[in-house]
């Protein structure tokens, strides 16, 4: 009975979350507050290197939901592919790529974080790993600590891209559920566009 209850609870949570993410098509704040200006995008592009993480506070309903549920000002994470000037991200659509300027235009705030495991070679391999997951589904149950193999949520994708380089447990162990607002625990903040 316990196992069936767990499956039922997981299903209900997943269904509710799917319904909420299905509504995430319209901005819920003034689009003028997003990172659209060429100067800021260019500034970020100059700082970004292959394999950096972009942690954002987006403007969609799902971003509001994540920020509310995690009680944090940040709502999304992605990994940057400098060669293609795009991010690899996991959203309700699954794992896919988005041009950097389009990604930032959906964000009110953005942080650039360099992972603690970053080296030029590790970054190339991390991007290759993340690219190999393009087309995989979104890990809805992972948001409550029940991971579905072959599926990823945003922060899980960014962290797992560097998994082969985690030789020992870091000072801050990675929890079962990784919130966007926690990503700086495993990296160094290089840029913050501000609140």
């Amino acid at each position: 009975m316990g196992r069936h209850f767990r499956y039922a609870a997981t299903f209900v949570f997943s269904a509710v979350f799917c319904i909420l993410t299905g509504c995430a098509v319209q901005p819920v704040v003034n689009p003028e507050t997003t990172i659209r200006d060429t100067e800021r995008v260019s500034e970020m592009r100059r700082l970004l290197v292959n394999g950096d993480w972009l942690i954002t506070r987006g403007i969609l309903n799902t971003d509001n939901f994540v920020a509310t549920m995690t009680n944090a000002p940040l709502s999304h994470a992605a990994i940057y592919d400098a060669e293609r000037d795009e991010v690899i991200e996991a959203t309700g659509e699954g794992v896919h790529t988005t041009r950097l300027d389009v990604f930032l235009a959906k964000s009110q705030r953005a942080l650039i974080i360099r992972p603690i495991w970053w080296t030029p070679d590790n970054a190339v391999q991390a991007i290759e790993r993340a690219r190999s997951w393009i087309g995989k589904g979104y890990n809805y149950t992972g948001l409550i600590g029940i991971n579905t193999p072959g599926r990823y949520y945003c922060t899980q994708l960014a962290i797992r891209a560097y998994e082969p380089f985690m030789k020992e447990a870091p000072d801050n162990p990675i929890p079962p559920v990784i919130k966007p607002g926690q990503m700086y625990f495993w990296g160094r903040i290089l840029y913050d566009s501000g609140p």
Side-chain angles (χ1 to χ4, degrees), residues 49-72:
V49 299
N50 207 33
D52 279 347
W53 293 331
L54 280 157
I55 313 303
T56 64
R57 174 54 165 102
I59 62 170
L60 304 176
N61 288 329
T62 49
D63 293 299
N64 286 338
F65 177 76
V66 170
T68 300
M69 296 307 291
T70 61
N71 195 28

Side-chain angles (χ1 to χ4, degrees), residues 34-104:
T34 63
I35 302 171
R36 291 179 184 268
D37 60 281
T38 311
E39 191 173 305
R40 267 208 303 185
V41 173
S42 294
E43 178 185 8
M44 292 183 72
R45 200 174 269 127
R46 281 191 301 273
L47 294 170
L48 280 162
V49 299
N50 207 33
D52 279 347
W53 293 331
L54 280 157
I55 313 303
T56 64
R57 174 54 165 102
I59 62 170
L60 304 176
N61 288 329
T62 49
D63 293 299
N64 286 338
F65 177 76
V66 170
T68 300
M69 296 307 291
T70 61
N71 195 28
L74 301 165
S75 60
H76 190 50
I79 187 168
Y80 181 64
D81 182 341
E83 184 178 315
R84 294 175 177 87
D85 193 36
E86 60 188 18
V87 298
I88 304 163
E89 63 178 327
T91 67
E93 304 167 27
V95 179
H96 59 95
T97 61
T98 304
R99 282 190 355 241
L100 178 65
D101 59 336
V102 173
F103 179 80
L104 293 173

Side-chain angles (χ1 to χ4, degrees), residues 101-114:
D101 59 336
V102 173
F103 179 80
L104 293 173
K106 297 183 291 184
S107 306
Q108 292 178 324
R109 180 180 181 189
L111 280 71
I112 298 171
I113 297 179
R114 180 123 340 122

